[in-house]
Amino acid sequence: MGYLATLWLGACIALGAVTASCVILEQEASTAGFFLLVAVVLLSLLDSFISSVIFSVVGAALLNYFFTEPINSFGISNTADLFSLVAFLVTSLAITTLVRRIRRVEKTQRAQAQLLELTHDIIIMRDKHDMITYWNQAAETLYGWKKEEAVGKFIDELLNSVFPLPREELQRIFLRDGQWEGELIHTRRDGTEIIVTSRWALQRDGAGNPLATLETNNDITRRRRAEDLLRKSEAQYFAEAQKLSRTGSFGRNFSSGEVFWSEQTFSIFEYDLEVAPTIELVRQRVHPDDIPVFEETLAKASSSTADFDIEHRLLFPDGRIKHVRVVAHATNDQPNNKQFIGAVMDVTRAKQTEAQLRHAQSEVERISRVTALGELSASIAHEVGQPLSAIVTNGEACLHWLHRQPPDMEEIEGCVNQMTDQANRAAEIVKRVRALMKGAPPDRAPIAINDVVEEATAVIRRDIERHGGLLTRRLASGLPLILGDRVQLQQVLVNLIINAMQSMASVSGRRELTVQSRLDPEGNVVVAVKDSGPGIQEANLQQLFEPFFTTRSAGMGMGLAISSSIVEAHRGQIWASNNRDGGATFSFSLPPAIKQEVRE
Ligand code: ADP
């Protein structure tokens, strides 16, 4: 508001002064009109359209009052004066409007030009002779020349431009298309070279003649250097990887006949890097026996796009042999551009390792056969030995009852029955061993563990009694069936019972043997053989189940090892512990049949 008041006051004074000057100097209406018009136009530049109108009207009023007849009155006696006044008014309004519009356009242009200064892109305008007419702030920063230094210079000379194609050809394309885009190399004021992406747009006049060019540049020097570095390091990694993996690559263009080998391919074929690679050079290295395979592959390769994977040998002049594996295929991506691309791997070491491995494997097999045979013999001797000694015991008993007068036929019959049972057991064991040798799986049938306990204890009942042992059986009822091999499980129990008896033989006093069956919290069936012997020494607890571990002079150390492998084959567990009241307990647990079936 203050500005407006000042402006109007100033305007009144200015117009008054012009009028007064003209009155004093006794100027005519036309001269006074001219000066008033100048004053009105100048004042109008300072404010809005309304002010311009008011100044114009005030100017016209002053002109009317002081310079038209009658003087010092607003009356108009002359029609010509009326026209002059109207002409003054219209001219004043027209000029002020025009001037104001020009100023607005100028303001907008200035704002736009400022925007161009703000951008990071380099913006250069040049005339049709490539002389620089505009050079923005970013151009100053990048190239190092100030606006005043650049404007008026020929751009190609100033920037020492290097073009991707001859300048004349580029110009021809640019004039034809009206635009161009590409990479240029420019030299900055400090002499350093930079790479820019450059976009040119052509401005034509109404007749279509070239007028000016707008050039926008972006500095991509850093990006390009980083890309170059990356490319270099990638190539380095690639070469290193090929070296490490002993793999070379190769390519062959069918139409041009051109052959490419990577550095590693040269190294595999042992040729100098300077040699021009050819198929013939490869052929010279192929082992004579493998030439047919090689030729066949070459022939197939030129007629199909299938993948190839062959192995053959290379024979070097000094008689060395290398094994190579070649994988390749022909590509036909572009018409008339069939290429054969592949990799060649030096697999000599792998081949040697493979041969060594095969040798080692057959050695292991041989050793394990020998070992298995040894274990098997030990196992047969141990397992068959037990029923045989039972037969001997029963035979002796039989003789004893026979020599009685009169012979006790009932006892004799019992002994003979026992002998038959033991002999059958021995036969069954031999049968199992034979099956094992053939690799036949053990019999698997649902069995009640208590039956197994009954049968096993019946078999060695006499032995127990002969050694003065007292056998107690505590069998839980309602135990789930287990899935297993009846004879093998009997074997385990007999082993445990015999061990218990043997250990109790060293103690005087009671010789109590308890065989117990029960269910553990996990639902597994547990059988425990408890004795009143001397127990197990702490140091031996860990090794009891290892083959050939024994503390007995006549022992073989196989009983518990065999028992353990039988129980494990039934997915069970076997363990030993010392009793609080003396003696040891050997237990094994077996999963119930249902659980096992689900697992299998
Ligand atoms: P062997 O009976 O031929 O020695 P085993 O494998 O059957 O072979 O037993 C290995 C060892 O385990 C025995 O030598 C003995 O030291 C120990 N052992 C086995 N059963 C008992 C037991 N009930 N009490 C104490 N020690 C035992």
Side-chain angles (χ1 to χ4, degrees):
M1 203 56 209
Y3 171 76
L4 212 59
T6 318
L7 176 68
W8 285 356
L9 188 67
C12 289
I13 293 169
L15 292 175
V18 170
T19 310
S21 309
C22 287
V23 171
I24 292 163
L25 295 171
E26 293 177 2
Q27 294 297 315
E28 285 184 15
S30 56
T31 313
F34 171 74
F35 285 116
L36 279 171
L37 187 62
V38 172
V40 167
V41 168
L42 289 177
L43 287 169
S44 309
L45 291 177
L46 302 173
D47 195 50
S48 66
F49 180 71
I50 308 287
S51 300
S52 308
V53 174
I54 293 169
F55 297 150
S56 300
V57 171
V58 171
L62 287 170
L63 201 58
N64 179 11
Y65 192 85
F66 290 103
F67 298 99
T68 57
E69 293 296 333
I71 304 285
N72 292 340
S73 145
F74 287 112
I76 298 168
S77 54
N78 234 319
T79 331
D81 285 342
L82 182 65
F83 281 125
S84 298
L85 280 178
V86 172
F88 173 87
L89 209 56
V90 170
T91 312
S92 142
L93 281 175
I95 292 178
T96 50
T97 311
L98 214 64
V99 169
R100 285 167 50 74
R101 196 165 292 167
I102 289 168
R103 285 200 59 209
R104 205 177 308 138
V105 170
E106 227 176 44
K107 210 169 149 191
T108 318
Q109 276 180 342
R110 215 175 306 127
Q112 283 172 349
Q114 253 165 4
L115 273 183
L116 291 182
E117 294 297 327
L118 284 179
T119 173
H120 293 294
D121 292 344
I122 291 98
I123 297 172
I124 303 167
M125 284 287 284
R126 46 190 160 94
D127 66 12
K128 60 180 173 187
H129 304 296
D130 285 335
M131 200 190 271
I132 298 168
T133 55
Y134 177 76
W135 183 261
N136 76 344
Q137 180 69 46
E140 282 189 354
T141 314
L142 179 69
Y143 293 114
W145 281 286
K146 289 277 162 217
K147 198 167 294 187
E148 313 78 69
E149 295 169 304
V151 170
K153 300 267 167 44
F154 288 105
I155 188 160
D156 295 351
E157 270 175 29
L158 183 72
L159 302 179
N160 199 12
S161 312
V162 180
F163 300 93
L165 61 170
R167 183 69 175 94
E168 295 72 35
E169 195 185 333
L170 195 150
Q171 189 65 14
R172 195 179 48 75
I173 296 171
F174 177 51
L175 291 178
R176 185 194 65 196
D177 300 345
Q179 57 182 30
W180 180 82
E181 189 174 337
E183 282 182 18
L184 302 176
I185 298 174
H186 283 156
T187 306
R188 304 199 302 184
R189 184 179 201 156
D190 62 8
T192 51
E193 283 193 344
I194 53 167
I195 307 167
V196 297
T197 49
S198 193
R199 272 181 226 95
W200 299 0
L202 183 64
Q203 193 187 12
R204 295 180 197 269
D205 62 12
N209 296 316
L211 201 63
T213 304
L214 173 72
E215 180 173 327
T216 334
N217 295 342
N218 273 99
D219 181 11
I220 56 160
T221 318
R222 272 213 203 156
R223 198 176 79 201
R224 188 43 48 86
R225 295 227 171 99
E227 280 169 6
D228 280 354
L229 268 176
L230 191 69
R231 244 198 310 279
K232 263 190 213 145
S233 65
E234 266 176 5
Q236 223 168 17
Y237 282 136
F238 182 66
E240 201 58 35
Q242 288 214 343
K243 211 164 153 187
L244 274 174
S245 63
R246 295 165 191 273
T247 305
S249 47
F250 60 86
R252 181 185 173 201
N253 191 312
F254 281 90
S255 41
S256 68
E258 213 181 332
V259 173
F260 159 84
W261 287 359
S262 74
E263 219 177 298
Q264 190 57 26
T265 309
F266 278 95
S267 151
I268 290 174
F269 289 118
E270 297 186 13
Y271 280 118
D272 231 46
L273 281 172
E274 276 77 53
V275 177
T278 59
I279 296 284
E280 187 46 42
L281 285 181
V282 183
R283 193 177 280 115
Q284 282 174 19
R285 290 286 193 244
V286 176
H287 194 287
D289 296 348
D290 294 346
I291 282 282
V293 187
F294 176 74
E295 296 294 354
E296 194 189 330
T297 312
L298 263 191
K300 272 194 207 154
S302 49
S303 59
S304 93
T305 50
D307 290 352
F308 290 95
D309 189 343
I310 57 159
E311 273 191 23
H312 64 80
R313 287 162 300 169
L314 303 178
L315 179 64
F316 291 89
D318 58 5
R320 269 177 311 115
I321 286 183
K322 266 189 197 175
H323 292 262
V324 288
R325 181 173 168 200
V326 184
V327 284
H329 76 164
T331 56
N332 219 351
D333 306 343
Q334 293 154 0
N336 302 328
N337 192 21
K338 189 171 171 183
Q339 298 222 30
F340 196 58
I341 297 170
V344 50
M345 285 163 256
D346 182 350
V347 290
T348 315
R349 258 201 217 166
K351 282 272 165 202
Q352 284 164 353
T353 317
E354 209 178 287
Q356 283 166 355
L357 191 69
R358 258 203 309 274
H359 179 74
Q361 254 170 357
S362 61
E363 192 59 14
V364 167
E365 270 167 30
R366 197 182 67 76
I367 291 169
S368 64
R369 261 203 308 276
V370 171
T371 317
L373 213 64
E375 277 179 20
L376 208 65
S377 332
S379 143
I380 296 168
H382 184 275
E383 298 308 313
V384 178
Q386 192 276 321
L388 283 181
S389 70
I391 290 170
V392 171
T393 315
N394 278 298
E396 282 167 358
C398 202
L399 279 177
H400 171 75
W401 297 119
L402 252 175
H403 290 146
R404 267 276 183 89
Q405 276 310 327
D408 188 333
M409 293 314 281
E410 206 175 314
E411 285 289 352
I412 291 170
E413 196 187 335
C415 284
V416 171
N417 279 342
Q418 281 284 330
M419 284 160 78
T420 320
D421 282 355
Q422 295 294 348
N424 279 338
R425 225 175 87 73
E428 186 67 26
I429 290 167
V430 171
K431 200 172 108 196
R432 284 291 140 83
V433 171
R434 277 216 197 101
L436 208 68
M437 283 167 78
K438 277 195 229 141
D443 275 352
R444 281 280 166 100
I447 15 175
I449 200 71
N450 287 349
D451 291 353
V452 177
V453 177
E454 302 266 7
E455 287 152 7
T457 46
V459 166
I460 46 172
R461 188 176 52 88
R462 267 180 195 286
D463 264 353
I464 299 171
E465 282 165 6
R466 203 156 52 91
H467 287 94
L470 183 65
L471 172 74
T472 318
R473 286 183 300 204
R474 273 202 226 124
L475 307 179
S477 57
L479 289 176
L481 297 180
I482 56 119
L483 209 56
D485 186 315
R486 179 181 290 269
V487 176
Q488 282 187 354
L489 292 176
Q490 278 176 12
Q491 229 167 299
V492 174
L493 254 174
V494 169
N495 277 340
L496 297 184
I497 293 170
I498 290 175
N499 275 350
M501 304 241 303
Q502 285 172 344
S503 74
M504 287 192 298
S506 63
V507 293
S508 49
R510 63 190 182 102
R511 289 173 181 173
E512 282 167 12
L513 187 76
T514 313
V515 181
Q516 190 195 9
S517 70
R518 61 183 157 87
L519 199 65
D520 78 2
E522 278 91 50
N524 299 317
V525 174
V526 180
V527 179
V529 178
K530 182 181 171 195
D531 65 50
S532 57
I536 309 153
Q537 283 184 18
E538 282 296 319
N540 297 341
L541 263 169
Q542 297 301 318
Q543 327 164 53
L544 292 181
F545 298 96
E546 282 172 17
F548 305 112
F549 173 80
T550 181
T551 56
R552 296 183 187 125
S553 53
M556 201 151 40
M558 283 308 292
L560 287 179
I562 292 169
S563 305
S564 158
S565 60
I566 292 176
V567 170
E568 274 164 22
H570 283 76
R571 298 185 192 279
Q573 281 178 321
I574 187 164
W575 66 96
S577 57
N578 282 318
N579 308 327
R580 265 194 228 136
D581 53 349
T585 300
F586 281 77
S587 320
F588 62 90
S589 70
L590 298 166
I594 301 187
K595 211 163 159 186
Q596 263 205 6
E597 269 163 7
V598 169
R599 252 198 268 169
E600 276 163 359

